[in-house]
Amino acid sequence: MRLKNGLGILTLALLLAQCASPLHRTTAPSGPTGVPTASPPAPTSTPLQTGHLVILTDPPGASVWVDRSPQEGVTPWEGDLPPGRHDLELTLPGYKKWPGQVDMAAGDTITVEVPMQSCFRVLFSLGKEPGKELAFLGWEADGRALRYAFEDRDLPSEEPKDWTWYRYNLLTDEVEALPPPPSHVSDEVRAELGLCPLDRRQAEGLCRLATVLYEAPSGTHMVYAPPEVVCNPAGGIPCLGVFNLWHADVQGENRVFLGRPRFGGEGGRPGLIWSPREDWVLIDVTYEIGDFYLARVDGTFFEHFFPVPIDPVSSGEVSIYLSIHPSFSPDGGHIAFIGTKEGRHATWVMALDGSNHVWKVSDHIGLLQWSPDAHYLYIFDIVGRTLYRVEPAEMSPREEIMVTGLPLYEGLELGYEKVHLGFGSPGWQFWALSPDETKIVYRGVGEEWGVVEIAPECISR
């Protein structure tokens, strides 16, 4: 009987104590956008030694750090914490890092809701031109304006004079039409070399299909290929994809035979990239997979671009070049490219000092661009949606993630196994990072070409 009375008194005391305490306690975390809520602790017969924290983010999937320690799992996340003030940090690729604090008391259940803020803002879209394709894209030296040009699909031409040019001014947010750059090769020289006339509309179909003319940026010399009949003289039809390439000045004199690049498939004009000193040219005969030639304009070097050393025990493994354009360094001393050795893709650099020395600078691959001072090599990994910054030193290359979670247009699903079947064709070779590393233009959100601004706090420095 005494035991039964004692239990009754204890039960009454616990009920009175519960009625005297508040129903719940709200402890708000300090942070930019957190929306905390608190729930009353569940009744218990023993004092709680921890509080319970729930974190929700929009979008979900953020990694959670508590007191600078990573937690298992991603948002939506929940866990128990000891009483006291705790530092929180939420990270999600493509979104700004969220810092905050929470004051936790024993028995509290606190919910923090965080709308994550994107690292990226679309400043400008190049738009679409019916019947045209992007032919050029690049920042001006001061990074304040972007120049771009479109090529007419019905009147294809490798010559900038035949493109439609525009300039986007970031300071004024205005677009202006630009006059095309003039050609320094006269109609007389073109006729002598068997090339298309200045007015492309007057060219014969054979000329438009098979002729090649690339003027150097300085306007003093050129690389060209006349529409020669090299495969079927009887029928008068050229073997498309086979070109005899020559170098000459714009007067058509001092001619030097460079070589004959070939590729299979349906044929087309080879592209060409000049080195900054205009002493080397990279000849692109890409069809499905990357296929490039490197030539010195004095005629002393012309090679199919396979400089990566191959392990002889790899069962005949050969270097496979994805359809990602190699990139000359601004000082003209090196060329960066994607190569395959022993079945693994990587980014390599080759010296253009006559030694043809090659070394690997990164296991990551993507679109390539050098910084203006040639100190860094940028690798834009579209598959991983990550931009890397690499110091391509020969002995100890150093690499860091510059920004990740870059937005691409909906529906794009690229895997590395698909990369060497065209790598996002057409036009993935066009992209440009601004000199100050804060803006990038590429085929992104909305399946359009646009300028995307990167929030400064999202860029690793």
Side-chain angles (χ1 to χ4, degrees):
M1 190 71 178
R2 183 177 302 166
L3 177 62
K4 193 177 291 187
N5 288 338
L7 289 175
I9 293 172
L10 177 60
T11 302
L12 178 61
L14 289 173
L15 290 173
L16 290 174
Q18 183 177 343
C19 292
S21 63
L23 289 178
H24 66 270
R25 176 175 167 274
T26 300
T27 304
S30 60
T33 56
V35 182
T37 60
S39 303
T44 179
S45 58
T46 59
L48 292 176
Q49 301 302 314
T50 62
H52 192 69
L53 177 64
V54 178
I55 301 178
L56 307 175
T57 61
D58 181 21
S63 299
V64 178
W65 294 64
V66 177
D67 297 328
R68 300 184 180 179
S69 298
Q71 306 299 304
E72 292 186 6
V74 296
T75 57
W77 178 92
E78 58 182 292
D80 295 329
L81 299 179
R85 175 164 292 182
H86 298 279
D87 293 322
L88 305 179
E89 187 175 277
L90 306 178
T91 60
L92 181 64
Y95 292 84
K96 299 177 183 178
K97 185 183 300 182
W98 183 89
Q101 287 184 330
V102 62
D103 290 317
M104 183 67 69
D108 277 351
T109 295
I110 297 177
T111 298
V112 177
E113 299 179 13
V114 179
M116 302 294 286
Q117 297 183 12
S118 175
C119 284
F120 312 106
R121 181 167 66 101
V122 178
L123 297 179
F124 169 70
S125 174
L126 276 64
K128 296 180 180 180
E129 298 238 348
K132 296 182 181 293
E133 292 182 355
L134 192 66
F136 176 83
L137 183 68
W139 292 95
E140 293 186 354
D142 59 7
R144 297 178 181 178
L146 178 77
R147 289 178 182 261
Y148 58 101
F150 292 99
E151 176 187 20
D152 193 332
R153 291 196 193 116
D154 295 331
L155 196 65
S157 172
E158 74 283 355
E159 296 190 70
K161 68 176 180 61
D162 297 317
W163 303 340
T164 306
W165 285 84
Y166 299 96
R167 181 179 186 266
Y168 168 60
N169 189 321
L170 270 76
L171 299 181
T172 63
D173 197 33
E174 295 178 345
V175 177
E176 61 176 321
L178 298 177
S183 172
H184 298 87
V185 184
S186 67
D187 261 332
E188 291 75 18
V189 172
R190 292 168 182 263
E192 179 185 352
L193 299 179
L195 305 176
C196 286
L198 280 167
D199 187 350
R200 199 78 168 188
R201 292 168 297 182
Q202 298 178 4
E204 298 178 356
L206 175 60
C207 180
R208 291 200 300 267
L209 283 173
T211 193
V212 173
L213 174 58
Y214 288 95
E215 294 181 51
S218 65
T220 59
H221 54 138
M222 61 181 173
V223 169
Y224 69 95
E228 299 175 90
V229 178
V230 294
C231 283
N232 190 6
I237 300 175
C239 179
L240 299 182
V242 180
F243 300 87
N244 288 318
L245 290 172
W246 294 77
H247 175 264
D249 57 36
V250 290
Q251 288 76 37
E253 301 175 350
N254 302 312
R255 303 176 193 177
V256 176
F257 179 67
L258 298 183
R260 178 183 294 173
R262 308 168 175 268
F263 73 113
E266 298 176 358
R269 303 186 317 274
L272 186 138
I273 301 172
W274 292 88
S275 70
R277 298 173 185 168
E278 300 181 1
D279 53 347
W280 290 88
V281 290
L282 181 76
I283 303 154
D284 173 15
V285 290
T286 298
Y287 183 80
E288 292 293 338
I289 64 173
D291 199 359
F292 304 98
Y293 288 77
L294 185 65
R296 198 176 183 94
V297 297
D298 61 5
T300 60
F301 184 89
F302 186 91
E303 293 288 345
H304 205 185
F305 197 50
F306 284 128
V308 176
I310 304 302
D311 186 346
V313 300
S314 61
S315 302
E317 182 93 21
V318 296
S319 267
I320 298 175
Y321 288 86
L322 314 180
S323 51
I324 302 174
H325 284 176
S327 178
F328 287 106
S329 62
D331 58 8
H334 301 87
I335 186 169
F337 61 95
I338 307 301
T340 303
K341 182 181 179 184
E342 300 174 8
R344 295 181 62 87
H345 303 313
T347 300
W348 303 73
V349 167
M350 184 174 78
L352 297 177
D353 56 3
S355 68
N356 292 346
H357 181 58
V358 175
W359 65 95
K360 185 171 73 171
V361 297
S362 174
D363 286 320
H364 294 101
I365 64 172
L367 307 180
L368 303 174
Q369 177 183 312
W370 293 82
S371 63
D373 60 3
H375 185 73
Y376 295 114
L377 175 67
Y378 303 109
I379 304 174
F380 182 13
D381 177 6
I382 291 181
V383 176
R385 307 188 180 205
T386 300
L387 182 62
Y388 297 91
R389 183 196 293 117
V390 180
E391 290 185 24
E394 180 177 352
M395 298 305 296
S396 56
R398 190 173 70 88
E399 177 184 83
E400 60 182 346
I401 293 177
M402 184 177 155
V403 65
T404 190
L406 285 154
L408 297 178
Y409 69 85
E410 294 181 5
L412 176 66
E413 295 182 0
L414 279 179
Y416 287 110
E417 71 279 359
K418 298 179 182 179
V419 168
H420 50 193
L421 296 179
F423 198 74
S425 179
W428 278 113
Q429 68 269 27
F430 294 114
W431 78 292
L433 182 68
S434 63
D436 63 359
E437 299 183 336
T438 63
K439 302 171 187 68
I440 181 174
V441 56
Y442 64 102
R443 188 181 183 186
V445 293
E447 199 175 350
E448 295 181 349
W449 300 92
V451 179
V452 177
E453 184 177 45
I454 308 171
E457 59 265 42
C458 296
I459 303 173
S460 300
R461 296 292 186 183

